Amino acid sequence: MNSTMYLYSVQERYSDAFAKNFTVVLLAVIILSINGVFVLTFFRSSIFYNDPRYILYIHLVINDMLMVFISVILSVMAYLWQNVPLPFCVILLIIASTTHKNTPLTLAGMAVERYIAICKPLHHHQICTVRRTYILITLIWGVGVLPGLADLILLSIVRPLSVSSTATSCGASILYSSPYHEVQSRFMNGLYSSVVWVILVFTYCRVLIAARKATTDKSSAKKAQSTILLHGAQLLLCMLSYITAVIDKMFVPLAPVDRARLTFLNYLLTNILPRLLTPLIYGVRDKHFYKHMKALFSCRLYIVKVESIKE
């Protein structure tokens, strides 16, 4: 994820800078608020605590909330804080990179869970336990942090004296600007994307075969098939951030005068908005989760009405 895609020249008008920062912060507040509803529903309904499917889902939501929060901080800092201490900047970039990689890995884990539930139903409760789900989440974070640590190691090799002393503009494209970082980034993105897509295609094909062979529970198999397809759509949305730079190179030369606005719009469409759509689509689509969410807020509205009547 390129967190400094709208670091612009000093000639940019303050009004434009304010409008862009206001837009980013407003969208972040909306996304965090909506996703916060899903998190609240999960933690207020203990029935979800023992279901690996919902544990992985809420991990996806919380991870995306953290990613949006860090991304917006980096974006605002690009305007307001030009001399960021390098250790602090590196920490933010590692968190941003890790949460960015965690999303497709979590989607892959959710697809595998659905595959086991449909293709190995007798072993599902033995394989997909709550304990193993949390172990999987730990592994996801362990694997997700590797690219960020690799960037830090390369930085310490390329610029050894700057790691603890330099103040800089905080952005991946500025801090990790060596050819080694570019090669490492392409390799890691390609590796993670390939592995996740292989998992999604494999699980979808196996569930599709199971759906055709099923004689009794065809509806569950078809629902799982649709769910994995949805994971693929979510993954496509998340992977838009991988091609942000490519989109910039394609469209910015067509309107160089509006370079700043096009880059900013590209950032919103590829990095911010998908973090709202992916949890929203899945959370509202799941009837069980939606029912508890609706009941929770219906109850809250009823309490508010009763209190207002008493007053």
Side-chain angles (χ1 to χ4, degrees):
M1 180 186 61
N2 188 349
S3 59
T4 59
M5 52 194 61
Y6 50 96
L7 265 173
Y8 306 128
S9 64
V10 293
Q11 288 80 18
E12 185 180 17
R13 293 182 303 172
Y14 287 108
S15 58
D16 286 347
F18 174 79
K20 289 166 186 173
N21 279 293
F22 178 79
T23 302
V24 169
V25 173
L26 179 62
L27 283 175
V29 170
I30 293 173
I31 292 172
L32 294 177
S33 299
I34 293 175
N35 288 352
V37 171
F38 297 126
V39 175
L40 179 63
T41 302
F42 176 86
F43 285 107
R44 292 298 296 270
S45 306
S46 58
I47 191 173
F48 298 126
Y49 293 177
N50 296 319
D51 193 327
R53 177 185 179 186
Y54 293 105
I55 294 173
L56 287 172
Y57 166 68
I58 210 64
H59 170 256
L60 175 69
V61 175
I62 294 174
N63 178 81
D64 281 355
M65 290 175 69
L66 181 59
M67 201 214 79
V68 169
F69 180 71
I70 296 297
S71 178
V72 171
I73 287 178
L74 289 170
S75 300
V76 174
M77 281 171 52
Y79 287 98
L80 302 180
W81 193 6
Q82 295 297 317
N83 295 315
V84 183
L86 196 142
F88 178 66
C89 176
V90 168
I91 291 173
L92 290 180
L93 291 178
I94 289 177
I95 296 174
S97 172
T98 303
T99 52
H100 183 247
K101 294 295 187 296
N102 284 352
T103 298
L105 294 175
T106 304
L107 290 173
M110 295 170 72
V112 171
E113 188 275 332
R114 286 293 84 197
Y115 157 72
I116 296 173
I118 299 302
C119 298
K120 301 180 183 297
L122 298 178
H123 302 286
H124 179 259
H125 293 293
Q126 298 174 351
I127 299 174
C128 299
T129 63
V130 173
R131 179 175 176 272
R132 288 181 176 177
T133 303
Y134 285 113
I135 291 175
L136 174 62
I137 291 174
T138 304
L139 289 175
I140 287 173
W141 279 87
V143 174
V145 78
L146 292 178
L149 293 179
D151 283 330
L152 176 59
I153 293 172
L154 286 174
L155 179 66
S156 63
I157 294 173
V158 176
R159 297 163 56 187
L161 296 178
S162 66
V163 172
S164 60
S165 59
T166 306
T168 182
S169 296
C170 190
S173 62
I174 295 175
L175 197 60
Y176 305 141
S177 57
S178 71
Y180 304 104
H181 285 102
E182 184 177 354
V183 172
Q184 187 271 142
S185 177
R186 290 181 179 178
F187 172 76
M188 287 294 187
N189 287 340
L191 178 63
Y192 279 60
S193 302
S194 300
V195 171
V196 172
W197 276 113
V198 167
I199 292 174
L200 286 179
V201 171
F202 171 78
T203 53
Y204 177 77
C205 291
R206 293 303 299 266
V207 170
L208 179 62
I209 294 172
R212 291 181 176 179
K213 290 182 178 179
T215 57
T216 56
D217 198 9
K218 288 187 176 182
S219 60
S220 296
K222 289 183 178 180
K223 187 176 180 181
Q225 181 182 338
S226 300
T227 300
I228 294 176
L229 272 179
L230 181 61
H231 292 335
Q234 289 175 292
L235 184 60
L236 283 175
L237 288 173
C238 295
M239 288 181 64
L240 286 175
S241 57
Y242 289 164
I243 59 172
T244 301
V246 177
I247 296 175
D248 280 342
K249 291 180 181 179
M250 289 175 58
F251 291 101
V252 169
L254 300 178
V257 177
D258 296 321
R259 174 184 178 276
R261 292 185 177 87
L262 288 175
T263 307
F264 174 73
L265 180 62
N266 185 24
Y267 167 75
L268 292 182
L269 294 177
T270 58
N271 285 274
I272 299 298
L273 291 181
R275 309 301 161 177
L276 169 63
L277 295 177
T278 51
L280 184 62
I281 293 172
Y282 191 90
V284 174
R285 176 180 175 272
D286 189 284
K287 294 180 180 179
H288 190 52
F289 195 88
Y290 180 73
K291 181 180 72 174
H292 280 79
M293 182 173 64
K294 187 177 179 180
L296 175 64
F297 284 91
S298 297
C299 179
R300 286 180 174 272
L301 288 174
Y302 176 76
I303 293 173
V304 171
K305 287 182 180 179
V306 171
E307 290 179 350
S308 62
I309 291 173
K310 288 181 179 180
E311 292 176 358

